[in-house]
């Protein structure tokens, strides 16, 4: 449940329960935007910006929670080179099948060694043509998530592992889902509760109304209540289980 628009909540994504975002340290320390590391003396690594997805909810969806399908683009490991950015060429050696090395098993131990015939000579690496050596490629994805009840306008949900793939750390960033809630004409949030303001004439307030219709998140005039006689201004009548996630009032 989110009752504070500035509160950020973690939402599981792709069942990544134990996922840890490797960039949290850099974001908190404030120098993620200019952090660069040399890789093999050739490449420079700059973290991609966090993916921010904006989603609009109806008032009912924000109160009860809902399931949404998110469609966006993110970088994933290149499938052609398995995220390596390059491919090894073959030297056509028949002993090692052009791999430059062989493996043999001794008991429960697997030992790898250079090929005794070609000694690994004649093998080179070529840049992957699919990702151009970047180790990742952009892909359009579609993913369903559950948005908890109580999300307000301005609330941010952290989607674990839903962001870009970062080759340097071999993992995925988090993504952020920003919520905007469409205002309801007669209902408002108040903590875990939903408030409806009923305007009565002085005569009805004095004598009471046995079958007064009111609005709820389920519809206009959806519920009928009994307004007691001698009701006072701003007096509250509680109707249980019609608030956030059917637990508030």
């Amino acid at each position: 449940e989110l009752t504070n628009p500035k509160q950020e909540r973690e939402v599981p994504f792709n069942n990544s329960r134990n996922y840890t975002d490797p960039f949290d340290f850099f974001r908190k320390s404030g120098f993620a935007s200019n952090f660069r590391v040399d890789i093999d003396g050739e490449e420079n690594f700059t973290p991609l910006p966090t993916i921010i997805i904006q989603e609009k909810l109806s008032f009912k969806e924000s109160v009860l929670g809902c399931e949404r399908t998110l469609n966006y683009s993110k970088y994933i490991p290149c499938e052609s080179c398995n995220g390596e950015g390059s491919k090894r060429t073959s030297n056509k050696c028949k002993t090692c099948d052009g791999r430059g090395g062989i493996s043999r098993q001794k008991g429960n131990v697997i030992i790898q060694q250079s090929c005794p015939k070609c000694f690994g000579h004649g093998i080179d690496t070529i840049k992957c043509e699919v990702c151009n050596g970047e180790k990742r490629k952009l892909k359009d994805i579609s993913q369903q998530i559950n948005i908890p009840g109580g999300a307000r306008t301005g609330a941010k949900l952290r989607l674990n592992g839903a962001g870009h793939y970062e080759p340097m750390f071999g993992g995925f960033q988090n993504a952020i889902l920003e919520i905007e809630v469409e205002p309801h004409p007669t209902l408002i949030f108040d903590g875990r509760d939903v408030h409806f303001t009923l305007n009565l004439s002085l005569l009805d307030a004095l004598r009471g109304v046995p079958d007064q219709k009111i609005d709820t998140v389920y519809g206009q005039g959806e519920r009928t209540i009994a307004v007691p006689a001698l009701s006072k201004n701003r007096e509250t009548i509680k109707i249980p289980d019609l608030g956030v996630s059917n637990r508030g009032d």
Side-chain angles (χ1 to χ4, degrees):
E1 174 192 345
L2 292 180
T3 57
N4 185 351
K6 296 183 179 180
Q7 181 180 0
E8 183 177 287
R9 168 140 180 199
E10 294 186 2
V11 176
F13 194 88
N14 289 338
N15 297 321
S16 54
R17 297 179 181 177
N18 298 320
Y19 176 81
T20 301
D21 186 0
F23 301 96
D24 278 345
F25 168 76
F26 299 107
R27 294 196 186 93
K28 292 176 181 178
S29 59
F31 53 82
S33 60
N34 55 16
F35 173 67
R36 301 176 68 85
V37 177
D38 289 332
I39 304 176
D40 296 332
E42 296 179 359
E43 300 174 278
N44 286 324
F45 168 73
T46 302
L48 292 171
T50 300
I51 294 176
I52 298 178
I53 307 166
Q54 296 178 331
E55 194 73 15
K56 181 175 289 187
L57 305 181
S58 67
F59 188 84
K60 179 180 179 180
E61 290 173 327
S62 70
V63 172
L64 302 179
C66 62
E67 186 177 85
R68 279 297 176 91
T69 298
L70 303 180
N71 299 299
Y72 64 101
S73 299
K74 75 172 187 177
Y75 281 96
I76 64 169
C78 176
E79 298 171 351
S80 178
C81 63
N82 295 321
E84 296 294 332
S86 61
K87 298 180 180 179
R88 291 170 62 88
T89 60
S90 172
N91 63 4
K92 300 181 180 179
C93 175
K94 294 182 179 179
T95 301
C96 62
D97 292 329
R99 295 192 298 268
I102 59 174
S103 301
R104 60 186 179 88
Q105 185 169 353
K106 187 176 182 179
N108 294 327
V109 179
I110 298 178
I111 301 174
Q112 293 184 338
Q113 63 184 43
S114 297
C115 174
K117 185 175 181 179
C118 70
F119 299 101
H121 296 311
I123 296 179
D124 199 359
T125 57
I126 57 174
K127 184 182 294 186
C128 176
E129 296 178 355
V130 176
C131 66
N132 196 31
E134 295 182 0
K135 304 181 181 181
R136 58 191 174 190
K137 64 177 184 178
L138 197 62
K139 183 178 181 179
D140 295 331
I141 67 167
S142 179
Q143 181 69 37
Q144 284 190 333
I145 67 165
N146 290 317
I147 300 176
R152 317 291 176 83
T153 293
K156 295 181 179 181
L157 308 183
R158 183 188 302 171
L159 308 179
N160 289 340
H164 294 302
Y165 172 73
E166 293 293 359
M168 179 66 179
F169 295 97
F172 288 85
Q173 296 182 12
N174 295 332
I176 299 296
L177 179 66
E178 292 186 347
I179 300 297
E180 180 184 352
V181 179
E182 297 177 349
H184 194 278
T186 58
L187 302 176
I188 60 171
F189 269 118
D190 183 15
R192 294 167 57 88
D193 302 329
V194 176
H195 279 208
F196 170 74
T197 300
L198 176 63
N199 295 316
L200 294 175
S201 66
L202 179 59
L203 181 59
D204 285 340
L206 292 174
R207 67 184 181 183
V209 183
D211 53 356
Q212 176 65 51
K213 292 185 178 296
I214 62 170
D215 299 346
T216 71
V217 293
Y218 295 101
Q220 185 176 5
E222 183 270 339
R223 186 64 59 96
T224 300
I225 64 170
V227 178
L230 302 179
S231 292
K232 299 178 181 178
N233 188 34
R234 298 185 180 278
E235 187 172 343
T236 300
I237 300 175
K238 286 191 176 182
I239 306 172
D241 304 328
L242 284 178
V244 173
S245 300
N246 286 327
R247 293 194 296 270
D249 300 325

